């Protein structure tokens, strides 16, 4: 059962039986993995349930975020072993949210209460999936990793035809990046276990929308098989 099935109405399910996606769109011959916004301000420095974590880190996604990070460790390892480039995108310092909209209900969304050491870690990519020397890290001031950044130019230069995406939030920066990637006619995969959000419904329904319209939502096993096929092709042509 897909993660979004629990959130679809009976009418939705009936409609999908005649309209929904029936097969994967497929991927190209030269992929890259794009890791989107996996930094400490959306996870916290300690592994805590979301309602505890947001007391110090208001934008935290809690334990579901950390679970996705643990799965992303495997995704990145598989990519590197297959010779697939890993690219990171993160927010510029000073751009923690988009459009100036923040949650209300009396909660301070700033990080001004943190110690200097804690605050200095907010925009750091978490250590478990840290970039290796030489791997590209793109800083962005908008939700999409494409908007106002050199990402597109880099992909063209490297001959990349497929993006395998992960990160947070599923409904925000991941979705914005996936829509732009599809607009630029890239084949796009979204690794379900490696994406996370603050709201379970938003996570599930945005995976549903991306799968129907812009990308193939896949699991780690399918990703591993795809990377293995890329590696085998390279060995044959070498």
């Amino acid at each position: 059962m897909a993660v979004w099935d629990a959130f679809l109405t009976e009418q939705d399910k009936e409609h999908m039986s005649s309209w929904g996606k029936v097969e994967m769109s497929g991927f190209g011959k030269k992929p890259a993995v794009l890791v989107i916004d996996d930094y400490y301000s959306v996870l916290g420095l300690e592994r805590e349930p979301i309602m505890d974590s947001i007391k110090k880190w208001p934008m935290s996604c809690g334990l579901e975020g950390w679970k996705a990070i643990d799965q992303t460790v495997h995704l990145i390892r598989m990519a590197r072993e297959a010779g697939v480039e890993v690219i990171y995108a993160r927010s510029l310092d000073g751009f923690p949210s988009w459009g100036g909209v923040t949650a209300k209900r009396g909660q301070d969304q700033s990080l001004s209460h943190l110690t200097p050491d804690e605050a200095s870690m907010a925009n750091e990519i978490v250590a478990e999936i840290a970039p290796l020397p030489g791997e590209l890290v793109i800083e962005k001031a908008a939700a999409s990793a494409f908007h106002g950044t050199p990402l597109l130019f880099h992909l063209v230069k490297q001959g990349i035809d497929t993006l395998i995406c992960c990160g947070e939030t599923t409904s925000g920066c991941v979705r914005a990046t996936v829509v732009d990637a599809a607009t630029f006619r890239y084949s796009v995969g979204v690794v379900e276990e490696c994406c996370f959000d603050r709201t379970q419904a938003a996570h599930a329904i945005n995976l549903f929308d991306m799968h129907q319209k812009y990308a193939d939502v896949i699991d780690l096993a399918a990703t591993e098989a795809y990377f293995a096929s890329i590696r085998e092709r390279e060995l044959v042509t070498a």
Side-chain angles (χ1 to χ4, degrees), residues 119-134:
S120 70
M121 295 292 292
N123 203 39
E124 291 298 313
I125 296 168
V126 297
E128 287 86 344
I129 58 166
L132 295 179

Side-chain angles (χ1 to χ4, degrees), residues 41 54-59 96-97 102-103 106-114 119 122:
S41 68
I54 61 173
K55 294 173 184 176
K56 177 174 279 190
W57 301 91
M59 303 301 287
S97 61
T102 56
Q107 185 183 30
D108 183 3
Q109 297 294 300
S110 77
L111 301 179
S112 59
H113 58 283
L114 300 180

Side-chain angles (χ1 to χ4, degrees), residues 27-129:
F27 303 135
K29 297 180 178 180
K30 190 169 183 182
V33 169
L34 182 57
V35 183
I36 302 164
D37 288 355
D38 281 344
Y39 39 67
Y40 284 107
S41 68
V42 298
L43 291 156
L45 296 178
E46 299 177 358
R47 297 188 178 218
E48 298 178 308
I50 187 169
M51 297 310 296
D52 294 324
S53 188
I54 61 173
K55 294 173 184 176
K56 177 174 279 190
W57 301 91
M59 303 301 287
S60 176
C61 299
L63 293 177
E64 290 178 344
W66 281 110
K67 182 179 179 181
I69 291 296
D70 291 338
Q71 297 301 310
T72 305
V73 170
H74 300 303
L75 172 64
I76 292 173
R77 174 184 52 78
M78 292 189 302
R80 290 169 177 162
E81 289 177 353
V84 173
E85 181 177 3
V86 181
I87 302 169
Y88 295 80
R90 67 178 180 187
S91 297
L92 281 164
D93 285 330
F95 288 87
S97 61
W98 315 116
V101 179
T102 56
K104 300 302 180 183
R105 297 189 180 274
Q107 185 183 30
D108 183 3
Q109 297 294 300
S110 77
L111 301 179
S112 59
H113 58 283
L114 300 180
T115 68
D117 286 344
E118 290 170 336
S120 70
M121 295 292 292
N123 203 39
E124 291 298 313
I125 296 168
V126 297
E128 287 86 344
I129 58 166

Side-chain angles (χ1 to χ4, degrees), residues 1-50:
M1 187 175 74
V3 65
W4 50 76
D5 285 347
F7 296 90
L8 298 178
T9 67
E10 291 305 313
Q11 177 177 297
D12 293 335
K13 294 173 183 177
E14 182 180 2
H15 179 244
M16 294 306 298
S17 67
S18 61
W19 179 83
K21 186 175 184 177
V22 295
E23 60 183 22
M24 295 291 191
S25 301
F27 303 135
K29 297 180 178 180
K30 190 169 183 182
V33 169
L34 182 57
V35 183
I36 302 164
D37 288 355
D38 281 344
Y39 39 67
Y40 284 107
S41 68
V42 298
L43 291 156
L45 296 178
E46 299 177 358
R47 297 188 178 218
E48 298 178 308
I50 187 169

